Amino acid sequence: MDAESLPAPLKSAVEGFERYLHGERARSAHTVRAYLADVHSLLGFAVQEGIRDLDQLELGSLRRWLGAQSEAGMARSTLARRAATARAFTKWALREELIATDPAIRLQAPKRVKSLPGVLQQQQVLRVVDSLDAAAADGGPLALRDRAMVELLYATGVRVGELAGLDIDDMDQDRRTLRVIGKGNKERTVPFGVPAALAIDDWLRRGRPALVTATSGPALFLGVRGNRVDPRQVRAVVAVLLQALGDTAATGPHTLRHSAATHLLDGGADLRAVQEILGHSSLATTQIYTHVSVDRLRKSYQQAHPRA
């Protein structure tokens, strides 16, 4: 059920929640869309049960909503996310006095199964970079842009949305640092190395001027029409490069973020330094990369040691 089909009180609540997410919580457009999709799913299910006002929502309806999705084969990670969204929505509704009690306070969902992120080996990263260098040798603006974007993704571990949002002034090329606006509008400074600096300089001198238009503004990376590059374009570029490797199932720009974090830790970087570079609010989130490194160490040991 779409938003327009909801009863007026429920539709009004969704609109208020959306304003809250954009305003007070400063969530990204992508995150807001995900939250609203979950809320629409919940309220659509509630309407089918005869609910027309938010104050009629009960714990039983929330549990049946999750149960129906579980029976339909929805992944446990998605169920956990939807339960979290429901709790955030009803907590907000209680604060706004749209409901008298919070029905989701005891709502639980299957625990997420933590999986290790896809990580490239360092030799695989070098092969990706070599292919980008070969393409950029012809000097085409998009080839120069793609090389600079991938070098920066791997050098800094920034998220694809953070990369797309970069402006030229966010870079300090002398110090080789990047000012990044992350989740929750939190700002952090991230260093990058010489290869990324050279690729970006090449893009700024020979690539960007060929694409820039009157509407480009200060955007660091541009699309073919001169507008700020879209995150979907970045994902498509990386997906093609990883597919061309032929020996990895990893896909998407997050693979480069995972790889950057793992290779930093493999090289002896401090865990809290990696946390700061990645912009993780919790050290526990960063610690998953230590598991990746230990797993790789264990495999190497088992392959090499005669009495493993």
Side-chain angles (χ1 to χ4, degrees):
M1 177 176 290
D2 58 33
E4 296 302 321
S5 303
L6 292 173
L10 299 182
K11 180 182 175 183
S12 177
V14 173
E15 292 171 348
F17 187 56
E18 182 177 7
R19 289 192 295 271
Y20 161 74
L21 292 173
H22 277 301
E24 293 185 40
R25 297 300 299 274
R27 297 299 191 188
S28 69
H30 175 76
T31 300
V32 171
R33 284 194 299 270
Y35 268 89
L36 294 182
D38 293 344
V39 171
H40 286 149
S41 172
L42 167 60
L43 296 182
F45 182 87
V47 168
Q48 291 175 2
E49 291 201 333
I51 293 172
R52 292 293 181 271
D53 191 277
L54 205 58
D55 207 30
Q56 297 175 300
L57 198 60
E58 297 179 346
L59 178 60
S61 294
L62 296 172
R63 286 174 171 168
R64 287 190 292 275
W65 169 61
L66 290 178
Q69 295 170 81
S70 179
E71 291 176 2
M74 186 168 286
R76 285 192 291 181
S77 59
T78 304
L79 291 173
R81 190 203 71 214
R82 289 201 155 184
T85 297
R87 288 192 293 270
F89 177 61
T90 58
K91 182 179 179 180
W92 166 84
L94 181 66
R95 192 194 74 170
E96 297 296 311
E97 299 183 350
L98 299 178
I99 55 177
T101 58
D102 187 347
I105 198 167
R106 292 188 291 120
L107 181 66
Q108 295 182 342
K111 292 183 177 180
R112 289 178 189 259
V113 177
K114 287 190 176 181
S115 57
L116 297 179
V119 175
L120 299 178
Q121 298 177 6
Q122 294 184 35
Q123 287 299 320
Q124 290 174 311
V125 175
L126 290 177
R127 283 162 51 201
V128 169
V129 171
D130 287 344
S131 69
L132 289 166
D133 286 341
D138 295 333
L142 292 181
L144 294 169
R145 181 204 65 182
D146 293 349
R147 179 178 63 174
M149 291 194 308
V150 171
E151 283 278 16
L152 201 57
L153 283 169
Y154 177 62
T156 63
V158 294
R159 302 174 179 92
V160 63
E162 295 169 345
L163 179 89
L166 289 173
D167 290 337
I168 294 176
D169 290 344
D170 290 328
M171 295 188 57
D172 185 332
Q173 290 178 286
D174 292 331
R175 297 183 178 181
R176 295 204 302 273
T177 58
L178 196 65
R179 184 174 68 94
V180 180
I181 306 298
K183 291 185 175 181
N185 280 334
K186 293 181 179 178
E187 181 179 317
R188 68 185 190 276
T189 299
V190 183
F192 56 89
V194 173
L198 293 175
I200 294 166
D201 181 66
D202 210 13
W203 154 247
L204 290 176
R205 285 187 301 102
R206 300 195 294 133
R208 192 178 185 278
L211 297 178
V212 71
T213 67
T215 61
S216 297
L220 175 59
F221 293 114
L222 305 177
V224 67
R225 296 181 180 179
N227 298 318
R228 183 182 296 274
V229 72
D230 188 277
R232 288 172 296 181
Q233 294 173 288
V234 184
R235 292 189 185 98
V237 167
V238 177
V240 170
L241 290 168
L242 295 182
Q243 186 176 16
L245 281 176
D247 56 359
T248 178
T251 60
H254 238 58
T255 296
L256 297 174
R257 178 172 166 85
H258 298 326
S259 301
T262 304
H263 297 166
L264 280 167
L265 290 168
D266 284 346
D270 177 75
L271 187 63
R272 289 199 178 275
V274 176
Q275 177 192 6
E276 179 68 21
I277 290 171
L278 296 182
H280 287 157
S281 57
S282 169
L283 189 64
T285 307
T286 316
Q287 284 177 327
I288 190 171
Y289 298 107
T290 64
H291 301 159
V292 175
S293 298
V294 170
D295 185 56
R296 180 178 296 172
L297 181 63
R298 184 181 296 109
K299 288 181 180 178
S300 297
Y301 175 86
Q302 290 172 344
Q303 291 173 358
H305 199 287
R307 296 181 67 81

